[in-house]
Amino acid sequence: PERLFWAARSALKEALREGYDFARPVGDPGELTVPTAYDKAMKSLLGAIDDAAKEAVAVLITGESGTGKSMFARMLHHRSPQKPGPMVVIPCAAIVDAKDVDRAFGPTKEPGGEIATAKGGSVVLEEVSELDEDAQKRLAKALEAVGSAVRIISTSPRALVGLVERGAFDRALFDRLALTVLEVPSLRSRAEDILPLAELFAVQSGAPRPVKFSPGAVARLRSYPWPGNVLELWNAMERAVQLAGEGELLAEHLPSEPM
C-alpha cells in the first residue's frame, strides 16, 4: 500500500507540473440521485444535509475513506442557494509543494487562488486534513480574502479534533471550517443498506434485472466487514458481475477477507 500511495502522489505531482488543473469547476450534475438509505443513521444524515443546505455556513463532512463524503459535498451544494454558482473542488492531498499552494490559495500577497473563482458558489476542500502547516495558513488567508462570497465545504477521513489537540491542525482554521459537522456512517454500521446497495451497483455494472444472488453470496455480503466502505462494495460488485457473466452471483465472486 505504501508503494501504491507513493506512486499515486508522484503521478499527481507530475500531472500538476504539466499543467493539469485539479482545482476545477464542476458542471451542474443535474438532479443527484438520493443514496440508498434504509438505515436510521443514514436517513438522519440526509435530513441533516437538507437542513445544512439552507444555511450559508461552512460544513465539515467526516467519515472513513470510501463512505462517499465527496458525493455528499456535491449534494450539499446542489441543494443549497449556491447551486446556480460554480462548485470548485480542491483535492488537498494533491497539494504537494509551494507551487500547488499558490495555485489553490493564491500567493501570499494576493490570497484567493482557485477559491476566489468560486464566488457566488461553493468550494469543496477534499481531505483538508492533509494540508501541512504552511498550506493551512495560506488557506486561512484565502478564506479571509473571499469572505462570505464563497461557501466552504470540507471533507476529512481523519478526526480533525484529534489533529487540533496534537497541534497538527490550526484551531482557528478548524473553528472556521467546522461550523456544522456531518458524519457519514461506515457501511458496516448500516447493515440494512448493504443488500440494496449491492443490487444497485450490480445493475449499474451490467447485471440483468432482477439481480440473482446465491444464499452464499447474501451471507458473504452481510458478514464481510467492508473496510473500504461503499467504494469497496461498488468495486466488488463490478468485479462480481464480470465473473458471474449472465449467471447467478456466488459467494466465490465476492471478497472473502479484508486486504
Side-chain angles (χ1 to χ4, degrees):
E2 288 78 8
R3 291 176 63 190
L4 177 60
F5 289 137
W6 176 85
R9 284 179 178 268
S10 298
L12 285 170
K13 188 173 183 178
E14 182 64 26
L16 285 167
R17 186 180 295 113
E18 293 177 357
Y20 184 85
D21 189 3
F22 284 93
R24 57 198 180 279
V26 177
D28 186 349
E31 195 62 36
L32 289 173
T33 302
V34 176
T36 299
Y38 295 93
D39 177 77
K40 183 178 179 180
M42 182 56 68
K43 290 181 178 179
S44 177
L45 172 64
L46 294 176
I49 287 176
D50 283 334
D51 292 338
K54 301 172 186 175
E55 304 292 335
V57 298
V59 176
L60 172 64
I61 302 176
T62 65
E64 296 178 6
S65 294
T67 51
K69 297 183 293 297
S70 295
M71 179 196 70
F72 288 111
R74 296 199 322 273
M75 181 179 295
L76 183 59
H77 168 78
H78 191 74
R79 297 183 178 184
S80 72
Q82 288 77 30
K83 176 186 174 182
M87 184 177 77
V88 173
V89 178
I90 299 179
C92 296
I95 297 176
V96 295
D97 55 31
K99 185 178 179 181
D100 301 336
V101 176
D102 286 346
R103 181 185 292 110
F105 309 134
T108 304
K109 296 182 179 180
E110 297 180 23
E114 293 291 345
I115 288 181
T117 67
K119 287 184 178 179
S122 304
V123 165
V124 178
L125 300 169
E126 292 183 336
E127 297 186 326
V128 70
S129 55
E130 304 309 302
L131 293 177
D132 61 22
E133 183 178 359
D134 178 63
Q136 291 174 34
K137 292 179 180 179
R138 299 281 287 279
L139 170 59
K141 290 182 178 179
L143 294 181
E144 291 177 3
V146 298
S148 60
V150 175
R151 180 174 193 166
I152 305 298
I153 306 171
S154 308
T155 73
S156 174
R158 304 165 67 188
L160 281 186
V161 173
L163 296 179
V164 170
E165 292 174 350
R166 296 199 300 273
F169 200 88
D170 183 74
R171 181 174 295 276
L173 179 58
F174 169 78
D175 291 339
R176 184 159 191 169
L177 297 177
L179 292 176
T180 297
V181 180
L182 304 177
E183 182 174 2
V184 183
S186 64
L187 182 58
R188 62 183 174 277
S189 70
R190 39 186 292 224
E192 294 178 76
D193 293 344
I194 293 176
L195 283 177
L197 281 171
E199 182 174 4
L200 172 64
F201 295 156
V203 171
Q204 291 177 345
S205 298
R209 292 179 182 270
V211 180
K212 298 178 181 179
F213 292 103
S214 72
V218 172
R220 180 70 58 80
L221 286 167
R222 288 174 171 166
S223 63
Y224 184 73
W226 300 109
N229 293 293
V230 176
L231 181 59
E232 183 181 11
L233 177 61
W234 180 22
N235 291 331
M237 294 313 302
E238 188 173 45
R239 176 177 180 272
V241 169
Q242 294 297 319
L243 293 173
E246 297 295 322
E248 188 177 49
L249 277 78
L250 307 176
E252 63 195 60
H253 299 148
L254 297 167
S256 59
E257 58 184 30
M259 294 180 61

